[in-house]
Amino acid sequence: MSEAKIYDVPREWAEEAYVDNARYQAMYEASISDPEAFWGEHGKRIGWFEPYTRVKNTRFEPDVSIRWYEDGTTNVAWNCVDRHVAEHGDRTAIIWEGDDPSESRHISYRELASEVQRFANVLKGEGVKKGDRVTIYLPMIPEAAFAMLACARIGAVHSIVFGGFSPDSLAGRITDCGSTVVITADEGLRGGKRVPLKANVDAALAKVGGVSSVVVVKRTGAPVAMATGRDHFYADLAANVSDECPCEEMAAEDPLFILYTSGSTGKPKGVLHTTAGYLVYAAMTHQYVFDYRAGDIYWCTADVGWVTGHSYIVYGPLCNGATTLMFEGVPNYPSVSRFWEVIDKHQVTIFYTAPTAIRALMGAGEEAVKKTSRASLRLLGSVGEPINPEAWEWYHRVVGDHRCPIVDTWWQTETGGILISPLPGATRLKPGSATRPFFGVRPEIVDAEGNVLEGACEGNLVIADSWPGQMRTVYGDHQRFFDTYFSAYKGKYFTGDGCRRDEDGYYWITGRVDDVINVSGHRMGTAEVESALVAHELVSEAAVVGYPHDLKGQGIYAYVTLMAGSSGDETLRKELVGWVRREIGPIASPDLIQFAPGLPKTRSGKIMRRILRKIAEDDFGSLGDISTLADPTVVEDLIANRQNKP
Ligand code: WT7
């Protein structure tokens, strides 16, 4: 193993950060030896109506039950908004930077309080009650945060659907959680292009029933169809309600939100997060991992449609009373300097983005970065997929001028918050490694049989005990929760990721070991793309795998067998790509489609995906044993007709 370069903790960081290495070690050991005491203490970082007396009540076998702070009561919106108004109501809570660089807005905590309460009253007016599910399909505008916090305030459970998902995907998510209210916008605006959100909602609602109210925020002002009785403009509803709405007293384990995410099989799962443990964990990781302090201008470039936006644009930062920047646009509009210009414009001190964006901007050259100052930056973060050392080094040298530590944060929708990451004042950095576990997190590496491996090793990553931010169930399907995460390795949470641990105890995530692929930091189930493909009338069979892609991390490679009598050409390829975009959304567009007369199958008919992966990876030399195939000759055809990387 080639020894990676090591970056020492800069002296001023070791001296001034919340934790240096010695303190990290001490706190980590305390958190593992007595989780009850550790989390009992840190639970106090949020405010409670009724304080908790019971801290941890969790088990992963023989069934799964996860409860934290279970007899306490609180409210997430109170913690993220109200309590800050008294102390620093004039502080900016949200800096909104529009798609167009001439548009931005500062929203103080006092204004946020008023907006959230008004939105809460609008939802109440539409009949939303505690426990009801509300689907949010909004672009990155402040109303997205207002709507989330309004739900939290009245005890409604939000389910945000990323604006890039198709009407079909939206419809599936609305039905699964039984939402009666949908919040959307006339259109979204990204990179100068309009996204027809309201029209997508109309198309989705033509397929599913149960929605009695659609609340439409005007973003572009484009004319949209409004169904009488069902659809209302937010501004009209808001004009008739007050901006005072009391907080619902919520039990610690009452649901806060559902967020759908892809797995290796079946439809996307509704990951359910609850109130208190989630908030404690999101806020605490936000403070320590980013060494957040009053006065920081913190910018996470994610979309609120993903968990990163939930935990590290809205809930974590606002719970800490931070100033959080919300960006509507994209990294390369109007130019490839946009990120760096926004950093200068708003004097951003902490910047958190995804490797796929870094790689794309790297390709645009150093000049686009160097012409900006970035002197305000003190810390950089990375999330969503493994960051290759070249991109890490570029991020460190060019964006951070060698000055800013990088926190490579590993976590998942399911984990609620960061589980493995450097702490900037404590951890020596190795480019490409997420380094060490956060407090209270017990990572283990196991082999296929479930044996726990010691020392330097490689295998599957599991977590041996619960942490407060952990998901509690799959909405409506607790059995699936158990089967997916707790059945592979008894008594442990299985992450789905492969991982290596080095001599220093550092963790290196090697990527998914299941049929989940990570395309530009977006998680896709290969089974979902396959089922979209076979829904096309000319497709008889499809197998989808990931392959290494320079910018996206992984690209989508689809092997497609057509119905007898059909033949594949460029036109059909384009049509299938468009078809999948319409069925799932643009993020699921196949990069390469290979028409294959036959797929490699075992004699019992199971597709051997390992072989398909190898071919897509150009790794023909190590196909392994193909003698068990029903028809070994299909492999030659597959190799001969392999599609070239674009
Ligand atoms: C999967 C989770 C984390 C929130 C956004 C994505 C991969 C995530 C890293 C990282 C290596 C990473 C894993 C994980 N992943 N962060 N720092 N290094 N891999 O959440 O959509 O639930 O995806 O993203 O494979 O399992 P998600």
Side-chain angles (χ1 to χ4, degrees):
M1 193 67 47
S2 71
E3 226 358 88
K5 207 160 161 182
I6 298 184
Y7 288 83
D8 283 326
V9 176
R11 182 152 23 91
E12 62 280 13
W13 274 88
E15 283 164 7
E16 284 158 34
Y18 288 112
V19 285
D20 61 9
N21 191 43
R23 189 154 163 71
Y24 165 76
Q25 298 285 357
M27 279 177 78
Y28 183 72
E29 270 146 40
S31 73
I32 299 304
S33 63
D34 193 350
E36 189 84 20
F38 182 86
W39 291 113
E41 185 56 33
H42 288 283
K44 295 180 196 153
R45 66 178 300 124
I46 68 167
W48 299 83
F49 290 125
E50 240 0 283
Y52 50 88
T53 65
R54 218 169 159 185
V55 176
K56 181 176 189 284
N57 178 11
T58 68
R59 63 167 182 271
F60 292 172
E61 63 165 337
D63 54 1
V64 50
S65 167
I66 300 163
R67 307 182 66 81
W68 285 88
Y69 308 112
E70 59 186 316
D71 58 350
T73 65
T74 184
N75 182 285
V76 167
W78 185 86
N79 277 289
C80 291
V81 184
D82 302 51
R83 68 166 166 161
H84 305 307
V85 174
E87 287 164 35
H88 46 81
D90 294 328
R91 183 186 296 170
T92 300
I94 297 174
I95 298 174
W96 177 75
E97 169 77 14
D99 187 53
D100 184 317
S102 68
E103 267 192 290
S104 56
R105 199 178 148 191
H106 281 65
I107 298 152
S108 68
Y109 272 93
R110 187 168 297 109
E111 287 164 319
L112 180 63
S114 150
E115 298 280 9
V116 169
Q117 295 183 74
R118 198 179 290 286
F119 214 123
N121 282 328
V122 164
L123 293 179
K124 278 185 169 176
E126 295 309 287
V128 178
K129 297 198 180 50
K130 180 173 176 172
D132 289 352
R133 278 79 56 214
V134 173
T135 294
I136 300 177
Y137 186 64
L138 281 173
M140 285 289 286
I141 54 178
E143 285 78 3
F146 305 161
M148 293 164 78
L149 292 161
C151 288
R153 191 170 195 90
I154 62 174
V157 184
H158 59 70
S159 162
I160 307 190
V161 179
F162 174 60
F165 278 118
S166 68
D168 270 4
S169 298
L170 175 62
R173 287 156 169 80
I174 290 171
T175 316
D176 186 81
C177 70
S179 294
T180 51
V181 174
V182 176
I183 304 169
T184 190
D186 47 8
E187 294 179 318
L189 203 52
R190 290 186 86 220
K193 297 197 192 83
R194 287 156 184 255
V195 186
L197 296 174
K198 174 62 167 64
N200 287 351
V201 170
D202 291 339
L205 296 187
K207 302 193 171 186
V208 297
V211 172
S212 54
S213 165
V214 178
V215 177
V216 185
V217 178
K218 279 191 186 167
R219 169 61 188 103
T220 64
V224 288
M226 296 292 280
T228 315
R230 188 194 72 182
D231 302 351
H232 308 279
F233 284 111
Y234 175 72
D236 298 339
L237 300 172
N240 295 320
V241 297
S242 89
D243 65 353
E244 277 175 40
C245 171
C247 286
E248 196 69 45
E249 181 172 348
M250 303 299 287
E253 286 299 339
D254 279 338
L256 177 64
F257 67 84
I258 298 165
L259 185 58
Y260 287 85
T261 194
S262 299
S264 40
T265 56
K267 285 190 299 182
K269 296 181 283 279
V271 167
L272 184 93
H273 283 287
T274 59
T275 297
Y278 168 80
L279 189 64
V280 167
Y281 198 77
M284 184 161 167
T285 47
H286 174 259
Q287 179 191 332
Y288 284 92
V289 172
F290 300 107
D291 197 61
Y292 165 76
R293 282 143 205 289
D296 271 318
I297 307 290
Y298 164 87
W299 181 16
C300 165
T301 69
D303 190 288
V304 291
W306 310 111
V307 74
T308 311
H310 287 62
S311 300
Y312 298 114
I313 293 177
V314 177
Y315 291 121
L318 293 179
C319 186
N320 290 335
T323 299
T324 180
L325 194 150
M326 191 173 180
F327 177 44
E328 186 183 35
V330 295
N332 59 359
Y333 177 85
S335 83
V336 288
S337 293
R338 185 68 189 278
F339 272 0
W340 328 122
E341 285 164 1
V342 172
I343 288 171
D344 285 351
K345 175 175 174 186
H346 297 294
Q347 293 294 293
V348 170
T349 58
I350 304 170
F351 178 67
Y352 189 29
T353 195
T356 185
I358 298 167
R359 286 191 298 266
L361 295 170
M362 215 171 127
E366 292 183 22
E367 185 43 34
V369 189
K370 289 294 177 195
K371 69 180 207 193
T372 62
S373 158
R374 290 157 287 103
S376 56
L377 284 177
R378 64 185 197 94
L379 181 67
L380 302 172
S382 171
V383 62
E385 53 178 314
I387 180 164
N388 47 311
E390 304 69 44
W392 195 104
E393 295 285 358
W394 186 86
Y395 197 26
H396 190 258
R397 175 174 61 83
V398 181
V399 177
D401 286 322
H402 301 283
R403 196 184 66 241
C404 308
I406 297 178
V407 289
D408 174 2
T409 63
W410 174 84
W411 58 297
Q412 310 177 298
T413 305
E414 293 88 336
T415 69
I418 295 162
L419 293 199
I420 302 182
S421 169
L423 300 187
T427 316
R428 301 166 83 201
L429 306 175
K430 298 187 190 183
S433 172
T435 77
R436 305 186 293 190
F438 191 72
F439 308 128
V441 174
R442 286 178 50 195
E444 285 180 357
I445 297 183
V446 295
D447 65 16
E449 284 74 48
N451 303 304
V452 176
L453 307 178
E454 302 294 338
C457 60
E458 184 164 349
N460 291 342
L461 180 65
V462 300
I463 312 291
D465 198 1
S466 184
W467 62 98
Q470 188 172 22
M471 73 183 282
R472 302 302 198 255
T473 193
V474 170
Y475 185 78
D477 198 346
H478 197 63
Q479 187 61 44
R480 188 171 177 200
F481 181 47
F482 181 82
D483 293 345
T484 308
Y485 303 104
F486 304 94
S487 66
Y489 303 103
K490 207 170 158 218
K492 296 177 182 179
Y493 166 77
F494 176 44
T495 63
D497 278 316
C499 185
R500 177 167 77 81
R501 185 171 51 218
D502 70 16
E503 318 63 48
D504 296 326
Y506 275 38
Y507 292 85
W508 300 73
I509 307 296
T510 54
R512 302 289 303 197
V513 294
D514 52 9
D515 291 321
V516 170
I517 53 182
N518 192 325
V519 183
S520 301
H522 297 147
R523 189 163 148 180
M524 283 306 317
T526 52
E528 281 171 76
V529 185
E530 288 163 6
S531 71
L533 283 166
V534 297
H536 189 280
E537 56 178 5
L538 296 181
V539 175
S540 101
E541 208 167 23
V544 169
V545 297
Y547 71 97
H549 187 289
D550 288 346
L551 292 181
K552 300 178 178 186
Q554 280 189 298
I556 300 181
Y557 196 110
Y559 298 88
V560 170
T561 306
L562 297 173
M563 295 292 184
S566 323
S567 64
D569 56 10
E570 260 337 287
T571 315
L572 182 54
R573 254 194 204 105
K574 283 212 182 77
E575 181 173 329
L576 291 177
V577 170
W579 174 267
V580 175
R581 287 173 75 92
R582 273 190 306 280
E583 290 272 310
I584 304 175
I587 60 169
S589 306
D591 296 279
L592 295 170
I593 294 181
Q594 172 168 357
F595 294 110
L599 296 174
K601 290 186 186 168
T602 60
R603 287 188 196 97
S604 61
K606 193 171 174 307
I607 294 177
M608 293 191 72
R609 310 176 61 87
R610 173 178 56 84
I611 293 175
L612 295 175
R613 255 182 240 126
K614 292 281 183 202
I615 294 173
E617 284 164 11
D618 265 339
D619 189 3
F620 308 138
S622 57
L623 291 181
D625 183 12
I626 59 170
S627 63
T628 55
L629 289 179
D631 176 7
T633 62
V634 297
V635 173
E636 283 154 41
D637 173 82
L638 288 172
I639 293 176
N641 293 302
R642 191 195 173 283
Q643 291 299 295
N644 281 318
K645 292 176 190 173

